[in-house]
């Protein structure tokens, strides 16, 4: 049986990669991924055959991985964070129906929500949800509805892909929507370049967040009614009783 791993490499630095993920990459003949992610791991796994495709070429990347595995190689498809959270594992299973001879194994990793939460303090201790602001694959109308419903239900909300050159005002729009149900002084936080050079974090109010500049390498956290700032950190209590 030909072997193909789908590996979540974590937020960036080698030290935040799981032992199982590192072992899968060491066991692989070929490592495939988006160019930026391959560059993050390349120097830790010398002697491997690295293959890359640019962004928006995900199906082509999956096909390439299966084709390499069909040659009898052990192959790893890498994703940042966790392969099953806005990652490649779903698409790999879809493409994989055409390659029944290949055994697929998913290796989890540290996603930006948990990696960023550790930098900020403890924002995700109570119920939370993840919402991507990218409308490349999801209509904005659906994203808007999810933001409103999550805000009304008082979830802590973690936002992925909060801004880009084409979507420079999406975080501002999202904050305006959430402020229909969340107070302007709701404690929020941002973390940029999690686990990579230039990592930075900041805790602020929802009103301040609205006018804060972010990019695709920023993860945004919006607190619930109980979230507070403690010593410059963003902390959400374990529950609502006796707080």
């Amino acid at each position: 049986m030909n072997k193909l791993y789908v590996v979540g490499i974590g937020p960036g630095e080698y030290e935040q990669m799981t032992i199982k993920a590192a072992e899968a990459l060491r066991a692989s003949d070929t490592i495939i991924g988006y160019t930026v992610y391959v560059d993050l791991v390349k120097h830790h796994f010398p002697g491997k055959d690295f293959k890359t495709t640019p962004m928006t070429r995900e199906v082509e990347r999956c096909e390439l991985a299966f084709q390499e595995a069909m040659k009898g190689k052990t192959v790893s498809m890498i994703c940042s964070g966790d392969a099953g959270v806005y990652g490649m594992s779903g698409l790999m299973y879809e493409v994989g129906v055409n390659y029944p001879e290949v055994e697929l194994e998913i290796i989890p990793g540290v996603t930006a929500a948990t990696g960023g939460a550790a930098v900020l303090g403890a924002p995700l201790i109570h119920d939370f949800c993840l919402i991507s602001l990218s409308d490349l694959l999801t209509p904005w109308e659906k994203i808007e509805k999810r933001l409103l419903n999550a805000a009304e239900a008082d979830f802590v909300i973690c936002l992925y892909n909060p801004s880009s050159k084409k979507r420079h005002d999406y975080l501002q729009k999202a904050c305006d929507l959430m402020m229909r149900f969340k107070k302007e002084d709701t404690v929020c936080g941002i973390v940029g370049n999690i686990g990579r050079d230039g990592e930075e974090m900041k805790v602020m109010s929802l009103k301040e967040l609205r006018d804060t500049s972010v990019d695709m390498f920023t993860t945004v956290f919006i607190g619930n009614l109980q979230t507070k700032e403690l010593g410059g950190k963003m902390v959400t209590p374990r529950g609502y009783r006796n707080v």
Side-chain angles (χ1 to χ4, degrees):
M1 179 67 78
N2 305 304
K3 187 71 175 184
L4 177 50
Y5 296 104
V6 186
V7 182
I9 64 171
E13 64 180 351
Y14 178 77
E15 289 75 15
Q16 291 196 48
M17 186 184 299
T18 67
I19 293 173
K20 190 171 184 179
E23 288 177 345
L25 296 184
R26 290 192 189 97
S28 297
D29 303 300
T30 302
I31 297 174
I32 297 173
Y34 171 46
T35 309
V36 172
Y37 305 151
V38 167
D39 288 343
L40 289 172
V41 303
K42 207 169 188 177
H43 63 288
H44 292 294
F45 301 94
K48 303 299 181 184
D49 179 24
F50 290 95
K51 297 183 182 299
T52 66
T53 65
M55 191 175 288
T56 74
R57 304 282 284 278
E58 287 80 11
V59 174
E60 178 182 325
R61 197 180 310 151
C62 293
E63 293 280 359
L64 177 61
F66 280 103
Q67 290 164 7
E68 289 295 305
M70 288 294 292
K71 297 176 183 178
K73 298 179 181 179
T74 299
V75 179
S76 281
M77 164 73 80
I78 61 172
C79 311
S80 69
D82 184 292
V85 180
Y86 300 108
M88 298 290 286
S89 58
L91 184 56
M92 288 291 282
Y93 275 112
E94 292 181 70
V95 173
V97 298
N98 299 315
Y99 298 90
E101 305 91 344
V102 177
E103 179 186 357
L104 200 60
E105 182 176 346
I106 312 299
I107 309 294
V110 177
T111 188
T114 51
V119 177
L120 276 173
L124 305 182
I125 300 300
H126 203 273
D127 297 338
F128 71 95
C129 66
L130 304 180
I131 300 175
S132 171
L133 294 191
S134 173
D135 58 358
L136 184 63
L137 300 175
T138 306
W140 174 255
E141 292 75 19
K142 182 166 286 189
I143 296 171
E144 181 176 296
K145 185 175 182 180
R146 289 171 177 171
L147 288 167
L148 288 170
N149 288 342
E152 184 176 16
D154 199 33
F155 278 99
V156 172
I157 301 171
C158 181
L159 300 178
Y160 282 18
N161 307 311
S163 182
S164 68
K165 290 181 180 179
K166 293 181 179 179
R167 300 182 293 104
H168 62 89
D169 62 341
Y170 275 34
L171 178 58
Q172 186 179 81
K173 290 164 64 176
C175 289
D176 286 339
L177 289 166
M178 290 184 288
M179 279 192 283
R180 296 183 190 179
F181 298 102
K182 289 182 177 287
K183 297 179 180 179
E184 291 184 350
D185 62 354
T186 298
V187 176
C188 300
I190 60 172
V191 187
N193 297 302
I194 301 168
R196 306 178 191 179
D197 290 340
E199 178 183 272
E200 56 183 353
M201 61 82 78
K202 186 176 181 181
V203 178
M204 66 194 75
S205 69
L206 180 55
K207 183 178 180 180
E208 292 170 327
L209 176 65
R210 181 190 184 278
D211 299 315
T212 297
S213 178
V214 297
D215 58 26
M216 288 288 284
F217 297 105
T218 306
T219 305
V220 176
F221 297 77
I222 297 95
N224 66 16
L225 281 170
Q226 303 297 321
T227 304
K228 60 188 75 175
E229 182 176 352
L230 295 174
K233 296 290 187 176
M234 182 179 177
V235 179
T236 300
R238 180 69 175 84
Y240 280 79
R241 292 193 178 94
N242 302 318
V243 176

